[in-house]
Amino acid sequence: MSNQSTGVLERLFHLSENNTTVKRECLAGLTTFVSMAYILFVNPIILGDAGMDAGAVFTATALSAIMGCLLMGFLANYPIAIAPGLGDNAFFTYSVVLAMGIPWQQAMGGVFVASILFTLVSLFKIREIIIDAIPQDLKYAMAAGIGIFISFVGLQGGGIVIADPSSLVAIGSFKVPTTWLTIFGLFVTAILMAKKVPGAIFYGIVLTAIMGLVTQIIPPPESIISMAPSLDPTFGVGVSNMTSILSDPQMWAVVVIFFLVAFFDTAGTLIGLAQQAGIMRNGKMPRIGRALMADSLSMLGGAVMGTTPTAAYVESSAGIAVGARTGLTAIVVAVLFAFSMIFSPLLAVVTAQVTAPALIIVGVLMTSSLREIHWDQFEVAFPAFMVIIGMPLTFNISYGIAFGFLFYPILMTIAGRRKELNPLIWVMFVLFLVLLYTLTMLKF
């Protein structure tokens, strides 16, 4: 790279000031991309279950990731990658579309409205105020609950767990070849994770797909490289259906839950990654407003293109561990997502059984937050437990969140800790009470 090019990058990203180099940032970007590239194949599978066009979702996933990473790199100068989040797409498909019976077009309208609200609260810095009002234990519980929920979806999709009329769920049949493919993928990915191989989840998906092709469980794709699929089936659908919230009371619940889940997801991840990178100053994250705006704008762009909300990716920690310290890492990730768009034909070999191990492993990573919860304080532990257990057992993320927020203020008050409650907690108590009624009573 020429001295002139290096000089431009130095001015843009302040490499020397952050004790890093162009080579180190590029290597970190590659590491982060490989660690999170699985979303290109997992997101179309999950949203495809909702009836969305998998090819269009693939393109929307890549474009929203490119947009988010570019904004994070140039606007906030953070080595943090952004792409559609796993928890949000699971809520969209399994809670909103399949459980509530809302067509995906209307649900995408709810995502678009939530994105507008998300951008506004970030613009006016209301987001930080609300984040501070939410008890940290419940934030940890939400992450863990979504992790268990995602793992359950993976176990189902891979055939390891099946429905049973007498016990609700039971172990799957080992006479089914696709179940063995899932088990193979789970062992391979777990071994790679245990060996601390960067990009273990991505490599797990690749090796599982290869095994499926070799054993002829999965038919081979017609091609490897092609132009990116058209966005036509999903582009602008959310915008044209945003008025659906006026005629369907359930849609208000959908909007608020999307807003809240996306709200907490990125905030916690940003702070954790900033801590790892040594960016925090006096317990605060510099330029957090710009980082939150980057996330908000990419969520808005993704909703227009046809994908669920974006989020800061915890896999960015892999790049940070390699030495990432500036936004140049995020720019490298954006470039690699752009290059990956020509490999859409590989979607045909990335079946539910291939992605199931990835979902299960990601669930393990998300439930690591359980260790942070104050289990020795019952008034805290019980609401957190209700959040965690409520999500997978009701097969609905929103129910689990509501359970926690309904119990928390009451038990804290009974325990004599009312003064520790932020007034906004009571506002959310009423809000979730209304939401719970809307999501259940109006459905029947």
Side-chain angles (χ1 to χ4, degrees):
M1 184 175 290
S2 68
N3 291 334
Q4 185 177 0
S5 299
T6 304
V8 172
L9 295 176
E10 176 65 41
R11 289 194 297 273
L12 284 173
F13 303 108
H14 309 288
L15 302 175
S16 299
E17 181 183 327
N18 288 281
N19 299 315
T20 187
T21 63
V22 173
K23 180 180 179 180
R24 187 182 301 165
E25 295 290 302
C26 290
L27 179 60
L30 176 61
T31 303
T32 296
F33 172 77
V34 171
S35 298
M36 63 183 291
Y38 64 85
I39 194 62
L40 282 169
F41 304 105
V42 174
N43 203 39
I45 292 290
I46 292 179
L47 296 187
D49 287 346
M52 297 182 68
D53 182 88
V57 173
F58 175 89
T59 302
T61 300
L63 290 176
S64 60
I66 293 168
M67 181 180 180
C69 291
L70 290 177
L71 286 169
M72 185 64 76
F74 286 121
L75 194 62
N77 195 24
Y78 280 150
I80 297 173
I82 290 179
L86 270 180
D88 299 307
N89 56 16
F91 171 69
F92 179 94
T93 295
Y94 304 111
S95 294
V96 178
V97 177
L98 298 182
M100 296 171 63
I102 295 175
W104 72 263
Q105 294 88 344
Q106 291 185 26
M108 193 56 68
V111 173
F112 181 69
V113 173
S115 302
I116 294 175
L117 295 175
F118 206 54
T119 304
L120 289 175
V121 297
S122 296
L123 183 64
F124 293 105
K125 299 184 178 180
I126 302 171
R127 193 172 174 185
E128 292 96 317
I129 297 173
I130 300 177
I131 289 172
D132 290 340
I134 305 304
Q136 192 65 41
D137 290 275
L138 291 191
K139 292 177 187 175
Y140 293 136
M142 288 169 63
I146 292 172
I148 294 173
F149 180 86
I150 289 174
S151 291
F152 185 45
V153 170
L155 290 168
Q156 275 195 318
I160 297 176
V161 170
I162 60 173
D164 185 90
S166 59
S167 60
L168 297 182
V169 292
I171 193 167
S173 172
F174 293 113
K175 295 180 180 179
V176 181
T178 51
T179 301
W180 280 107
L181 184 61
T182 300
I183 294 171
F184 168 82
L186 194 56
F187 270 99
V188 167
T189 310
I191 290 170
L192 292 173
M193 290 291 292
K195 294 284 288 183
K196 296 181 172 56
V197 175
I201 294 176
F202 176 74
Y203 291 133
I205 288 177
V206 172
L207 292 173
T208 306
I210 291 174
M211 175 60 75
L213 291 170
V214 170
T215 57
Q216 298 184 339
I217 295 174
I218 300 174
E222 296 180 359
S223 62
I224 302 297
I225 297 175
S226 74
M227 293 293 291
S230 172
L231 275 177
D232 284 347
T234 60
F235 187 84
V237 171
V239 180
S240 60
N241 281 272
M242 63 182 294
T243 55
S244 63
I245 66 172
L246 300 176
S247 57
D248 189 349
Q250 289 188 107
M251 286 303 298
W252 283 105
V254 172
V255 169
V256 173
I257 296 297
F258 267 126
F259 175 80
L260 291 175
V261 172
F263 204 100
F264 304 135
D265 191 6
T266 291
T269 304
L270 280 175
I271 293 171
L273 292 172
Q275 192 77 48
Q276 179 192 1
I279 297 171
M280 301 291 281
R281 297 290 182 270
N282 299 319
K284 294 186 178 180
M285 186 176 175
R287 307 184 303 280
I288 188 171
R290 294 185 181 186
L292 293 174
M293 183 55 67
D295 177 45
S296 302
L297 292 175
S298 61
M299 177 178 171
L300 187 61
V304 173
M305 290 182 282
T307 185
T308 43
T310 56
Y313 260 62
V314 72
E315 285 82 0
S316 300
S317 62
I320 292 173
V322 172
R325 292 297 180 269
T326 74
L328 179 56
T329 292
I331 303 303
V332 172
V333 175
V335 171
L336 292 172
F337 265 112
F339 178 72
S340 69
M341 291 177 68
I342 64 174
F343 294 102
S344 61
L346 294 179
L347 277 172
V349 302
V350 185
T351 63
Q353 293 76 33
V354 172
T355 56
L359 294 178
I360 297 167
I361 296 294
V362 169
V364 174
L365 299 177
M366 293 183 73
T367 52
S368 64
S369 62
L370 286 171
R371 65 175 178 267
E372 306 293 343
I373 297 173
H374 292 86
W375 295 108
D376 57 332
Q377 302 170 20
F378 188 80
E379 63 273 18
V380 170
F382 186 74
F385 178 75
M386 291 303 293
V387 170
I388 295 163
I389 200 171
M391 292 183 186
L393 292 187
T394 64
F395 211 72
N396 192 303
I397 293 170
S398 56
Y399 290 160
I401 296 173
F403 292 163
F405 278 92
L406 290 179
F407 280 105
Y408 186 82
I410 294 175
L411 294 185
M412 287 290 285
T413 301
I414 297 292
R417 300 174 62 181
R418 181 175 58 83
K419 291 183 179 180
E420 297 180 34
L421 296 174
N422 189 299
L424 283 176
I425 292 295
W426 289 108
V427 174
M428 300 190 78
F429 171 84
V430 175
L431 176 64
F432 277 105
L433 196 62
V434 173
L435 289 180
L436 200 59
Y437 173 82
T438 303
L439 287 169
T440 55
M441 301 301 291
L442 295 182
K443 182 181 176 181
F444 300 103

